[in-house]
Amino acid sequence: MKKSLPKTIKDVEEVRIETDLLIIGGGNSGCFVAIEAKEKNPNLDVTIMEKAHIDRSGALAAGMDAINTYIGEGETPETIVAWSRAQVGGGPLREDLALNNAKILNECVESLEKWGVPFKKDEKGRYKKRGRFDISIHGEQLKPVIAEKTKSYNPRILNRVAATNLIKEGDRVVGAMGFGIRDGKFYVIKAKATVVSTGGAAGLYRSATNDGTTSHHQMWMNPFNVGTGYAMGIRAGAEFTLMEQRWCAARVKDFCGPVDTISVGYKAKMINAKEELILQTRYGHLGGDTAPRYIRANAPMSEWSEGRGPTFVDTRHLSPEQVKDLKIDYLNERPTYVLFLAARGQDPAKEPLEIYGSDPYIVGGHTASGYWVDAGRMATIPGLFAAGECAGGMPNKFVGGCAAEGVLAARGASKYISSVGHGTLNEDQIAAEKERVFSPLLRGSSMEAKYNIPAGQDPRWQYDGVTPEEMEERFQRLMDEYAGGVGQFFKFNEEQLNYALKHIKMMRDQVNRLFATDLHDLVLVHDVIDRLDVAEVVVMHLRERRETRWPGWQTRTDYPAVDPNLDCFINSRKNLKTGEIEMFKRPYEQILPGDRTKAPSPIPLSAEKA
Amino acid sequence: MYNEFFDREKLKYCYQCGKCSSGCDINRIDVSFQPHRLLHLISIGAADNLMEDAGLWKCTTCFTCSERCPQGIKVTEILWIARTIAVKAGHIPELLITQKDILLRTGRLIPMDNKKRGKAGLTAIQEESSVVARIFEIVEKEK
Amino acid sequence: MRYAFYLGCATPVKALKYEISTRNLAKILGIELVDIPEFSCCGFPVKSMDSFAALLMAARNLAIAEEKGMDIIGVCTGCMAILSEAKEYLEDEKLRDKVNEKLKAIGAKEYTGRVKVKHFARFLYEDYRLDRIRDKIVTPLASLEFGIHYGCHYMKPTHAHGHFDDPSNPFTIDGLINITGAKTINYPNKNLCCGLTIMGTAEDISFRLAAEKLEYLSSRGVDAMVVACPSCCIAYENNQKLVGKRVGKEFNLPVLYFTQVIGLAMGLSEKDLGFEFNRIKADKITEKFK
Amino acid sequence: MPPYVVKDKCDGCKGKEEPLCEQICIGDLMTLDMNTGKAYCRSLRDCWDCMSCTKICPKGAIEQRIPYQLGYHGAKLIPMMGTDSITWTCVDINGKVERFTYRTRNKK
Amino acid sequence: MKIGIYLCTCEGEIEKVIDIDSLVKEASGWSGITDVHKDAFLCSEDGIRKIRKDVESSGLERVLIAACSPFFKMEEFSDLGLNKYLVERVNIREQCSRAHRNDPENATKKTKAMLRIFLEKAKYSQPLQPLQLPSLRSALVIGGGVAGINASIDIAETGNEVFLIEKNPFLGGKVAGFHKYFPRMCPPSCGLELMFSKIKSNPNVHVLTSSEIDTISGSPCNFEIFIKTSPRHIDMDKCVLCGKCLEVCPHNAIVYPEGFSYPCIPAINKGLCAVDCNKCVAVCPVDAIDLDEEGKATNIKVGAIVLATGWEPFDPTPLAEFGYGRLENVVTNIEFEKISKEKKISFEEPKKVAFIQCVGSRDERHLPYCSDVCCMVSIKQALFLKEVNPDNEVYIFYNDIRTPGEYEELYQKARRRGTIFIKGIPSELKQDEPQKINFSVFDTVAGKRLDITTDMVVLATGIKPSQGTIDLKEKIGIVLNKNNFVESHIQCYPQDTQRNAVFSAGCCRAPMDVSRSIESAGAAAIKTLQFFNNCTEITPDNPAVNILKCDVCKRCIEECPFKAYSFDEKGFPKSDIMKCRRCGVCMGGCPLAAISLGGLSIEQLSVMLDVFDRSYLGEDEPLILGFLCKNDAYRAVDDAALKGITYPPNFFGIMVPCAGAVNGAIIAKAISTGIDGVLIAGCPDNQCHYIHGSTLAKARLTDISNKLKEMYLEPERVRFISIGRDDPEKFADSIEEYVEELKKMGRNPLRL
């Protein structure tokens, strides 16, 4: 039977758990945290708090067709970091983090194969390369495999529990709180160390493919990754970096599916309406096909804005076998793209595939946004660690890198745990949070009594309050129009950002009008609240970087050029007294010598030569 | 024909206990009418001999046998179906021919007499005369 | 209380006293019986010629009532049995679809299975309920004694009638009559069939059947036989002389409809109850209540 | 991209509580209609088309469709899950059928 | 891993068809094979010795026996010096050399394919060690009628403890109330007295009267049972049977024993007492009466349970036409027993009595079955009437007189004594004059109608399952059939219920007379003893749930035919090793393929498919993978071979415990990887040894063929056939036509 809703806050049952290591978010990196921690110390009490079900949660839910970072023959940790640096136009990035990630990258990737994920092999029996650091896999079962491995270590897994806030004692994090999406209980989990691995933030901007009715979530990143991990950190006063480095990507038009699969995997070139090779003709000086990611991402949109749209990746050279492989790749990552092609009756070998810009995401596994962490992945608040997309400073992690991040965070956390005991809980803080979390539900249930809605009508649109859907749509539109969404070709200026900030604040004053009529609703409510908090910081960062360093990811019409003085990290922290977001800079430290904008070519292999 | 929907299976279960005949008032008056025998003949597929059998037309359809059959055989229904088969085979009692004729013409078994009703102070009734004819048309087309 | 009034073929021509008494009784009981001109023969006579045609006819009538949004009340047990039976058959969707498609072809409405079918007596007993009738009794008929003839199709086949009443020992109409204060007798051949259905095909048997009951009830000296079906009435009243001749006896047994008896107890006039149409005069009875 | 539950196939996973599609859905969108005992998607607009529900449904009762705004009607994509293999059948709007079969797990 | 393959030529028979030598050569090339050996007579002592030697010397970890069907020579191959779950039997005789004797070339090819597959299976098999869980050597017998009493005696007299519980105050059940019972026509007292004395004298029997089961927990070998005993209100030790209480009681609340009753102490039915009447208490000379006595609860532990909950007489009131309860002198046969016993009515001066058979029985509206005893009962009672006075006129109106075996004698006797048997059942009884019953009946033999008037009509009412049986259904977890008798595999294991260690005796399983009840009681007792002895070793080959995969959808719990599933401490489903019958229906149903049987895991089936050579007959030959249920289909296939029936080598059979054990994911993989047809052969529905195993299999297969349809593949590629154990012809034919159809369909487009 479904849970009956609470009428008063007292009706809400409370669950208290004490654990050594709390992992918030059981996606790819979250699972790796658990596995590594248990591997090293089976007696460690590990708890995973997962909003969905770890069998299929996070960005890997639909599967994966490739591991984008693997150090194959002829490469070294250094070359991949240098390549990654070049991919983001020379940084800034945390080379220290990148290097110790790269050192353990391969073992993480290889373990996936050991656990049962089929990797494609080349004729020599090596992993089949698709790009320089890209290898192909049959990752349909990727997440289930990781989940099964995790379960085999028997950690405490709380599926369908959504985290809402961290518990603080002084300036240490001593656990987290959340609510059960199925049981409607309030969870208070006391932990010696807490790892945040909730993935990035999708749905900050309106998707270009969002037509309201049934395509609201037609986007590239998992729309249920709403940035709760960032939001909780922001609210707890943690330091964040490079939140202005938005991931705006070239995506298959009208479907918003990945494009690397085609452009990297099948060497399909970007062309415009005039059938010009976009990258070669316009960005040759930046390396053409190997130009930095943001360039490749922005290219189609600038073609459109300059009237040369539509834009395509040219697949017309593909053989039938290649088309079939291409489709299999998609079936492994975003199966419905194949359905999409079928629904368009389109054969890639005959017509090129149209591409377009995606809505911007904050995903620290791709760009370098996220928590400011130390080598052990501990955030600026003791007891709090960040893994995967949450950890900032290091771009281009993707599946493999995020897994490695998990391992590193686990090591950092374990070390920390051995040095501390349990904190003590501040009951006032807990009571307040419980109130904050469940009040929308109480508002909802009170309204059910208040209004008499004729049968057959959705009551939610008639209640005197705000539904999460309404606010989400309002807010995504705001961001799209005033903070450089795809609708604005990613462009914005100071005034627009100020307007956005003003309205974000207004909406945040309205969140106490949000109501939920069931537990699912309640999730939506907190999703939109978290998104607001993240969006505010993002906009602050965008404003602070008064230059255009990564056109597309961050294009300022009022400061179109690169400003050498801003070759540094822009960081922020919420002042918990004033509630203001405080901005400040940190210097960039180059470790690997050489031209930051150029990726070194791989060491030629004698074997290959012969 | 909706005897295709009628559970003929049951018929096979008749174990000739004779309860139908025992309880039959027609049988009491005219012993030649024996429901259990009709069932038997039909179930062994010797129904043809029944066609001429006047017995078919002696049943008042009082349902007593159906009610009491331990095997739940709808004896009366079966008899009714047997009749329709006989009719199709052309063994139609006079009465039926006239009845059918009236029905086709007037849509009812007993023609309306509004004059009489008038005298009795009852309102006249407009009869739906063509219905039965239309229905028969349809059904004939079936075959 | 609005109901589609299903008269059938016999009643409006051959059983005027039944119709009249029913209408007037319904009036004082506050039951609205709506005439539906579109109704046609229930299908009973056709059942021996073509069972599917019969079903169609029944279904059509049901569909009409359903479309008018009224349940059916009837006075002829034969019609009620056939309609109820059809209802039961039409619970089978495959069959119902087949039937509806044909109904469409003759431009009739489709039947979805919602309409209820009840004999007026059953309605009074089950839905209107005895106590409410009792309240309306003005002249109790104590001192009268009747023999009830139910008519086979009144409760048989029981599955079609939802197992209403008890075929081997029926009691509901007795109940209705006893309410008026009159006595009813329980007699051996109470369940005997009137035999009318085979009058045309096996007249002799038919008459003998009728005779048996007439003989017995006469010998018991009841004031009248009470019936609930025009056909039965034809068998016992209209044919009384013929039947008598066939068995070499003189019968003089009044045959009343239950509606007439109840009406009488409720103070309706003889005219309102169509006593004038009683072929065997029931004066002995009416005298008492002058 | 909404999942549609085919009523006469779905058996609510017999468990009378949380059918597999409800357990697995990353968006908490699939749920059980307590009256019919059958699963349904509570918010079509919010589906991310990961097809987890479609894959896990033991009765093959869930269909994925492209939102009409984006793709035309009539295309089908049907997964069939083996113990360590998957077979996809894709039918496009012109009725062209394509099949894809491959391993999803290494042999232990 | 070291594996040995042993091919038997079966003294040349197999080799006549199959080129064993080539296979030996071939197989020795395969990886992991340390030993390939050909033997003319593998099951001979030498053969076995050879294998055992190899196992020991070269330390074989797996052994493949390629010989006859695993159903032959089980003993011989049971102990080869390594865990028997590591020995794989490959049925190359019945399924190859005999089945394809007309096609040696392909038979050899198929044999090779089989070897590969079962080799792979063997690689993945796990050793299983039997657990020691001895059963308590005590039994609970529920119901103190003849069946229960005799079961108790038989179990007790073989030295085991028995708890016999009866809800009435006295043992003896219905029989105690009879006048006489056939065929010997002795009074119940003589038989019962003997039984009671055995009970009294045997310390192993503990009798609890006025008692009922409260709850049953635990599982076979070790049930824990709580028993409620309602007060007797009379102290068994004090009472001297003076009978005073009986005399004074104004509300006949005293249930007084008969001479032979056990326990021979009255009981007080307090329900009938008037508040503080206390007359009996006052009058009792030994003050044995305590009206305030409380009921008590007892808690016992037993290893097995015998159900003997008996029967109830059918109440003929619903057959209103017979006027039971309405007409005088219409009685049931049970009542007639009382009448004749207590001489309520004297039949000294001649009377006319009619018996009507099959009242309620063989009546689809009441008891759709034959109540088995009524014919004999009426005959018995007829004889009684003739005995009292030969001039009593006795009529028996019947459908069919059923007097199996020697009972025919009594039938003849009854006829000899002048009982009149008339085939024809009256339809309605009337009472035209008081005390007399008159009815007319159609004599279907004479084709005549008889009008009869009698002094008494006895309705031969039938036997219906007791309410007690129905009440226990949930408590014990047994299955009842559609008529509420205890479900069992009536043909082979009549005494077994659908639950392990629970057996049935007497009328709770089917209508039967006293002597057959006693027989079945004996059988149930034997079953119980067997259980005590056999269940000392249990192999943990019951299905295990892979909790890494399981999402707790509870389907296994819902579908398990024996309700063997419950949740473990971590909230995952777990099958009870004792309740489980190893049918694998759960394994077949698990949507996540997370359940595996000890002897046959999902993984094994999966890898078997991996090595299955799709074209062992060449590219164009269709390939049928068959899953054969072990109880019927597989045997039928063996029989086919024995009877010399051949079928195309395109068919390839794997044994499964039940059709219901085949998981959709396996079938999906088979089809996905190019096998042209998948066939599941199970028992005919109503004969499934696991209740609804084959029914479920059929349903699941339908789901898959619907899916194939959607996938624009031929839904006929998967199919279910039900094959009785004795129907090899049907099997062969269906394979023939299946192959033909597949040829028409053309090859599976998914074949690579």
Side-chain angles (χ1 to χ4, degrees), chain E residues 440-454:
Chain E
S440 74
V441 57
F442 193 90
D443 180 332
T444 57
V445 178
K448 272 202 166 35
R449 185 177 189 87
L450 316 172
D451 288 301
I452 295 180
T453 306
T454 65

Side-chain angles (χ1 to χ4, degrees), chain A residues 32 66-71 80 101-102 104-117 119 127 133 135-137 142 397-404 407:
Chain A
F32 267 86
I67 302 293
N68 309 72
T69 52
Y70 179 76
I71 306 172
I80 194 173
N101 177 297
I104 62 163
L105 179 58
N106 279 18
E107 59 186 80
C108 295
V109 174
E110 285 149 9
S111 57
L112 291 175
E113 189 188 22
K114 273 197 231 79
W115 301 342
V117 180
F119 281 45
Y127 292 156
F133 296 97
I135 55 173
S136 293
I137 64 170
L142 179 54
K397 302 185 193 110
F398 310 118
V399 178
C402 288
V407 171

Side-chain angles (χ1 to χ4, degrees), chain E residues 279-296:
Chain E
K279 290 202 174 61
C280 50
V281 183
V283 77
C284 182
V286 292
D287 69 70
I289 299 180
D290 168 11
L291 292 174
D292 307 328
E293 184 187 356
E294 299 277 316
K296 64 179 191 306

Side-chain angles (χ1 to χ4, degrees), chain A residues 467-480:
Chain A
T467 67
E469 290 92 334
E470 288 168 326
M471 188 177 283
E472 184 186 351
E473 281 169 12
R474 162 66 188 142
F475 149 82
Q476 290 180 345
R477 183 139 157 284
L478 175 77
M479 291 295 284
D480 184 55

Side-chain angles (χ1 to χ4, degrees), chain B residues 11 37-51:
Chain B
L11 189 51
R37 197 173 131 270
L38 291 175
L39 294 184
H40 181 66
L41 289 172
I42 296 171
S43 60
I44 63 168
D48 324 8
N49 336 12
L50 286 181
M51 292 310 128

Side-chain angles (χ1 to χ4, degrees), chain A residues 257-443:
Chain A
V259 161
D260 283 12
T261 310
I262 316 168
S263 54
V264 178
Y266 296 87
K267 312 279 172 283
K269 306 242 182 283
M270 267 188 219
I271 57 173
N272 64 15
K274 309 261 174 312
E275 301 230 342
E276 303 164 310
L277 296 175
I278 299 168
L279 292 170
Q280 282 68 6
T281 45
R282 243 164 236 87
Y283 305 94
H285 59 292
L286 297 171
D289 284 343
T290 60
R293 274 186 191 279
Y294 54 91
I295 297 297
R296 306 209 306 263
N298 195 36
M301 289 320 281
S302 45
E303 292 302 294
W304 274 83
S305 58
E306 288 153 31
R308 287 187 300 273
T311 50
F312 307 86
V313 281
D314 193 350
T315 49
R316 286 171 295 188
H317 63 290
L318 295 185
S319 69
E321 296 65 35
Q322 283 176 304
V323 172
K324 185 156 189 166
D325 291 348
L326 173 67
K327 288 184 173 174
I328 289 181
D329 286 341
Y330 271 105
L331 288 169
N332 279 330
E333 181 175 5
R334 278 297 293 284
T336 40
Y337 182 60
V338 178
L339 181 57
F340 174 80
L341 289 175
R344 293 285 183 97
Q346 187 172 354
D347 175 359
K350 293 201 178 63
E351 316 168 48
L353 300 172
E354 202 178 348
I355 58 173
Y356 199 75
S358 75
D359 46 320
Y361 309 92
I362 299 298
V363 279
H366 298 70
T367 64
S369 330
Y371 282 86
W372 184 261
V373 293
D374 65 16
R377 270 53 178 179
M378 174 144 81
T380 51
I381 313 175
L384 179 61
F385 296 76
E389 304 229 60
C390 288
M394 177 200 168
N396 302 317
K397 302 185 193 110
F398 310 118
V399 178
C402 288
E405 285 296 291
V407 171
L408 292 167
R411 291 176 185 169
S414 308
K415 192 144 145 288
Y416 176 82
I417 289 168
S418 58
S419 70
V420 297
H422 268 297
T424 51
L425 302 180
N426 168 348
E427 290 303 331
D428 302 347
Q429 187 196 354
I430 290 169
E433 177 64 0
K434 190 174 179 182
E435 182 68 36
R436 182 186 83 89
V437 170
F438 286 94
S439 49
L441 204 52
L442 302 179
R443 276 197 288 280

Side-chain angles (χ1 to χ4, degrees), chain E residues 123-188:
Chain E
K123 286 183 189 164
Y124 285 78
S125 39
Q126 301 293 336
L128 291 173
Q129 298 308 339
L131 307 172
Q132 305 293 324
L133 342 131
S135 168
L136 293 172
R137 296 190 72 91
S138 61
L140 168 70
V141 177
I142 307 172
V146 269
I149 294 167
N150 282 279
S152 308
I153 294 169
D154 295 350
I155 296 169
E157 290 187 346
T158 44
N160 303 285
E161 198 173 26
V162 177
F163 297 87
L164 171 59
I165 80 163
E166 165 59 47
K167 67 174 184 304
N168 297 318
F170 307 102
L171 295 185
K174 300 277 182 309
V175 174
F178 290 170
H179 176 221
K180 290 185 170 160
Y181 62 95
F182 56 88
R184 291 289 189 72
M185 301 303 175
C186 32

Side-chain angles (χ1 to χ4, degrees), chain D residues 11 37 44 46 58 62 76 78 83 85 89 107:
Chain D
D11 68 357
L44 297 172
D46 287 345
I62 306 181
K76 287 200 183 67
I78 304 151
T83 41
S85 71
T89 305
K107 199 167 163 187

